[in-house]
Amino acid sequence: MQKIYTKVTDQTHFFENQNPVELAAAYGTPVYVYNERILRERCRDLKNMVTYPKFVVDFSAKANSNPALLQIVRSEGLEVDAMSPGEIYIEKLAGFTSDEIFYIGNNVSDEEMQYAISEGVLVSVDSISQLERYGRLAPGSRVAIRFNPGVGAGHHEKVVTAGKKTKFGVDPVFIPQVKEILERFQLTLAGINQHIGSLFMTGDAFVKSLGSLFAIAKQFPELEFIDMGGGFGIPYKKEDGEAPLDLKELGMKIDEALFKFSEQYGRQLTFRIEPGRYISAECGVLLSEVHSIKYNYNNKYIGCDTGFNVLSRPILYDSYHGVEIYRGSDTPSEREEAVTIVGNICESGDILVKDRHLPEIQEGDILGILDAGAYGYVMSSNYNNRLRPAEILIRESGEVVVIRERETLDDLKNHLVLL
């Protein structure tokens, strides 16, 4: 294999002793490749970020819900949150127990809420009406409430999940109504939670939000825990030297805030965080094969077999992913050029990379789309009746295992009823 452009995976030893060209040939493309060692390292980064003793890291399964990865996360001592009955089901399949799962629902039905209740999972509601609904279904039980602290952050307006222009959380002005509903249904408020947004690269907004969250907590003297949310970012432009989130500095600030609040509150609560992307994004690379190279009006297009049915982040959020180039032949690349890398979906927006300078790409090259371990496979679809890809895991031993088989055409007829 010729390494045409492989700076990031070389530095991280992502492929261990494996050859990405051979992986592509053996498992087909596109294929999601995960590295167990990197996943475990990220879990440990977060578990050790503070010294506060009652600190729990919840992995957000919406970032990556493959049961094999969830098993690894659990083995590192993390717990997990869920956004749907399906995530609860998958998390239990991976070995999580009911008391290790936190269901943070949003506009859910009686049926969904009842499923979580019957599974023994603590439920968080995010509106007055949802709290009423929960009270009718499970009077006398424990519940959590998601509040909106009025502070939001994120890399795109679509992922800012707090502040004055989002659908999430209870406005603190409704705390009197919250207390009335809790009393009427004899509910115990076990905890409160927030989530201000996704992919922040400095901790300023996160730390700022804690002041508002703690002010809310002080109005509920019997809490068991406070969930501070997540949104910790990773450097998607690391090949250009983008600096990572300074987790040590952020941890020191959070630590100080937790000890200070506990002293004011009169006892040590459990504090939770839920940073899904930070844990799984960098452990995943998506391999794709180049099938077409063409010019249209002086624009050079590289056509590969990864459309937005496989990786949706670029079309949804204009997201950036680094791209590496692996070649099976000895033919060198003689120049750098500006190219647009596109997929195989019949949509003009099916663009992975736009006007980026890369070494010359040839048909048959394997592209490595970096940082695809979060919001990759979980957002995939069968649009254009394309098949979802396989997922494989490189174990710490270097062994490669299939953790999800590639779909076949027969899978497209599942659950269909023909006339």
Side-chain angles (χ1 to χ4, degrees), residues 83 103-109 112 124-126 130 146 167-169:
M83 307 293 165
Y103 181 52
I104 307 174
N106 180 246
N107 303 324
V108 302
S109 64
E112 289 190 19
S124 172
V125 300
D126 82 333
Q130 289 271 293
R146 178 173 179 168
K167 68 174 182 173
F168 295 103

Side-chain angles (χ1 to χ4, degrees), residues 112-314:
E112 289 190 19
M113 203 173 279
Q114 187 60 59
Y115 178 84
I117 294 167
S118 64
E119 289 293 318
V121 172
L122 181 64
V123 174
S124 172
V125 300
D126 82 333
S127 67
I128 296 294
S129 66
Q130 289 271 293
L131 183 59
E132 287 257 14
R133 183 185 296 267
Y134 182 86
R136 292 195 300 270
L137 291 173
S141 64
R142 295 162 66 247
V143 70
I145 298 174
R146 178 173 179 168
F147 282 96
N148 184 333
V151 178
H155 70 99
H156 190 283
E157 63 179 8
K158 293 180 181 178
V159 299
V160 175
T161 53
K164 298 178 180 179
K165 294 184 178 181
T166 74
K167 68 174 182 173
F168 295 103
V170 175
D171 187 326
V173 300
F174 294 113
I175 286 178
Q177 290 93 320
V178 166
K179 289 183 175 181
E180 185 277 322
I181 296 169
L182 292 173
E183 183 177 357
R184 181 169 15 120
F185 291 103
Q186 297 183 305
L187 297 171
T188 298
L189 185 61
I192 65 172
N193 59 301
Q194 68 167 12
H195 196 290
I196 65 170
S198 185
L199 189 52
F200 53 78
M201 294 304 295
T202 70
D204 295 345
F206 184 83
V207 174
K208 180 181 178 182
S209 74
L210 296 183
S212 301
L213 185 64
F214 293 166
I216 295 168
K218 289 176 182 177
Q219 300 183 59
F220 299 98
E222 304 299 325
L223 296 176
E224 300 168 22
F225 70 88
I226 296 174
D227 183 343
M228 299 176 286
F232 296 14
I234 60 107
Y236 281 97
K237 296 183 179 180
K238 53 175 63 68
E239 72 274 20
D240 294 329
E242 181 185 6
L245 175 67
D246 190 334
L247 205 62
K248 182 178 180 180
E249 179 185 6
L250 178 57
M252 290 174 60
K253 292 179 179 178
I254 293 174
D255 224 10
E256 180 183 0
L258 302 190
F259 280 108
K260 182 178 179 180
F261 173 78
S262 295
E263 186 176 344
Q264 295 171 349
Y265 198 68
R267 59 187 172 87
Q268 286 193 341
L269 297 170
T270 295
F271 286 93
R272 315 178 77 96
I273 56 169
E274 47 183 80
R277 178 199 311 273
Y278 184 92
I279 293 171
S280 65
E282 293 175 305
C283 83
V285 169
L286 175 58
L287 297 182
S288 180
E289 184 173 351
V290 175
H291 292 293
S292 174
I293 295 175
K294 66 185 291 185
Y295 289 91
N296 259 357
Y297 299 97
N298 297 320
N299 296 309
K300 188 170 186 179
Y301 292 92
I302 308 298
C304 68
D305 54 13
T306 290
F308 68 72
N309 66 305
V310 175
L311 183 66
S312 299
R313 292 189 70 251

Side-chain angles (χ1 to χ4, degrees), residues 23 46 105 178 206 358 387:
L23 291 176
L46 290 167
V178 166
F206 184 83
L358 291 167
L387 305 179

